[in-house]
Amino acid sequence: MPRLSSLLNNDKSKSSVRYHIKRDDCTGLATGGNKTRKLEFLIAQALKENADIIVTQGAVQSNHVRQTAAAACKHGMECHALLERRVPNRSDDYEHTGNVLLDDIFGTTYEFRPSGLDMNAEALAVCDRLKKEGKKPYFIPGGGSNPTGALGYVSAVYEMLDQFQQQNLNVGWIVMATGSTGTQAGLVAGLHAAKSDVKVLGVSVRQPKDVQVAAVHKLAVATAAQLTEEPLPVEKIYVEDGYVGEGYGLPTEGTIDAIKTLARTEGVLLDPIYSAKGFAGMIGLAKEGFFDDENDVVFLHTGGAMALFAYGEEGWTK
């Protein structure tokens, strides 16, 4: 990202870090996103089990639900989702536009749930109900974040390491938004198995640092156990929690600025729930001189720009 790199390096620190972007918003399925990599493994397992309906859960404007619904369509299965009303004080359009509109187009059936429930437990209860109705449900947890789904980002690690070598990049950090943990855990597990020194920094979109570190580490260990017998220490989990703001799905001023900055320097759109908070974290850390001049930084764009249409009241023209 040459224009962004110039912008971030044109500060008092006079650094010369090169910033790059991994465009996982362009994975192709239902406008793209990181969940597509996880679904490659999850849908394969569903097909192996002869499932005829996928059951999953997420927040109302869930990128995961949208991509899961599309994957189900592609493989001739139904999709039923539980949508958590996790984000307060939204307009009525919030439940009809953006990702929800695409859920409807893909023929997804869904139920809403209030905030604060154990959504995976709720979805498993729906699976039990569907079994009694003669269906063959396959449950995918929120974000596709389990040891099967995380393998999608183990695979991504080897793709990225090849690209780093081909482009002669000396990458020190991969920076990304971290939420349901599967993407960060898969990257950490893959890099650990590959014996790579590249570090992964997750910018939390919801949880405080200690909670997120523990959750990512738990899944990373379970994922790495499929790949290597080498223990994965918690010290390999890096989380920054200073960009959550008032809560999940609630954009901060930094979130809005991050979206505008990337759009107006590189012509790339972020989403207001995940990737923009991750990008805001990268910008903030860059301004603090966190990144070493000798190493390149790669931002993993996890997709989700469709959610922008559900945030029209944020004042984008300012």
Side-chain angles (χ1 to χ4, degrees):
M1 296 184 284
R3 295 194 69 237
L4 180 81
S5 296
S6 177
L7 177 68
L8 294 183
N9 291 327
N10 188 26
D11 59 17
K12 293 180 181 179
S13 66
K14 299 297 181 184
S15 63
S16 56
V17 180
R18 293 187 300 171
Y19 295 89
H20 307 267
I21 187 167
K22 176 64 173 172
R23 296 291 306 273
D24 270 15
D25 59 318
C26 298
T27 50
L29 185 66
T31 77
N34 61 324
K35 313 306 181 188
T36 299
R37 290 189 186 269
K38 301 177 185 181
L39 288 163
E40 181 178 0
F41 291 83
L42 292 163
I43 294 295
Q45 186 62 34
L47 292 170
K48 184 178 180 180
E49 296 182 15
N50 296 314
D52 57 14
I53 183 169
I54 301 295
V55 177
T56 194
Q57 60 89 1
V60 170
Q61 284 295 328
S62 172
N63 298 313
H64 162 68
V65 169
R66 179 244 307 161
Q67 289 168 84
T68 301
C73 287
K74 186 174 178 63
H75 292 280
M77 291 181 281
E78 298 176 65
C79 181
H80 185 77
L82 274 63
L83 301 180
E84 181 184 5
R85 288 180 166 127
R86 192 182 301 166
V87 184
N89 304 319
R90 294 287 101 185
S91 67
D92 291 342
D93 286 345
Y94 193 75
E95 295 185 356
H96 303 284
T97 189
N99 282 315
V100 183
L101 172 62
L102 295 188
D103 295 341
D104 288 332
I105 291 172
F106 290 125
T108 315
T109 56
Y110 49 83
E111 309 168 30
F112 290 100
R113 291 287 190 275
S115 179
L117 299 179
D118 182 336
M119 290 296 291
N120 283 336
E122 292 286 313
L124 286 169
V126 170
C127 287
D128 290 338
R129 186 187 77 206
L130 290 171
K131 288 176 184 177
K132 292 176 182 178
E133 296 172 2
K135 291 287 189 180
K136 296 178 180 178
Y138 179 79
F139 168 64
I140 296 179
S145 293
N146 62 14
T148 300
L151 289 173
Y153 272 91
V154 171
S155 175
V157 160
Y158 291 91
E159 175 183 305
M160 294 171 77
L161 291 176
D162 283 345
Q163 291 173 335
F164 298 165
Q165 184 177 25
Q166 291 168 10
Q167 298 178 37
N168 197 30
L169 303 184
N170 183 28
V171 176
W173 289 94
I174 298 170
V175 182
M176 50 164 291
T178 183
S180 64
T181 75
T183 301
Q184 185 175 5
L187 288 173
V188 172
L191 290 164
H192 176 70
K195 302 185 184 303
S196 171
D197 292 329
V198 177
K199 300 181 180 68
V200 181
L201 174 62
V203 180
S204 180
V205 301
R206 186 181 187 188
Q207 301 289 4
K209 180 177 180 177
D210 58 341
V211 174
Q212 192 69 10
V213 166
V216 172
H217 184 243
K218 181 179 179 180
L219 182 52
V221 167
T223 305
Q226 303 173 85
L227 313 168
T228 176
E229 295 181 356
E230 186 72 24
L232 196 163
V234 70
E235 288 77 16
K236 286 196 172 185
I237 312 300
Y238 299 91
V239 171
E240 166 60 54
D241 65 355
Y243 297 85
V244 175
E246 294 183 7
Y248 174 90
L250 298 173
T252 66
E253 183 177 341
T255 308
I256 303 302
D257 286 345
I259 292 170
K260 291 179 180 178
T261 296
L262 188 59
R264 296 174 186 181
T265 56
E266 302 290 346
V268 176
L269 294 172
L270 297 168
D271 84 284
I273 302 172
Y274 291 95
S275 58
K277 286 189 175 180
F279 200 79
M282 188 183 76
I283 290 174
L285 291 169
K287 291 180 177 179
E288 294 172 8
F290 177 84
F291 301 112
D292 190 330
D293 282 2
E294 296 180 1
N295 293 310
D296 296 293
V297 175
V298 174
F299 179 74
L300 176 64
H301 190 338
T302 50
M306 288 302 302
L308 285 169
F309 295 101
Y311 285 81
E313 71 274 19
E314 299 299 333
W316 302 105
T317 58
K318 295 179 182 178

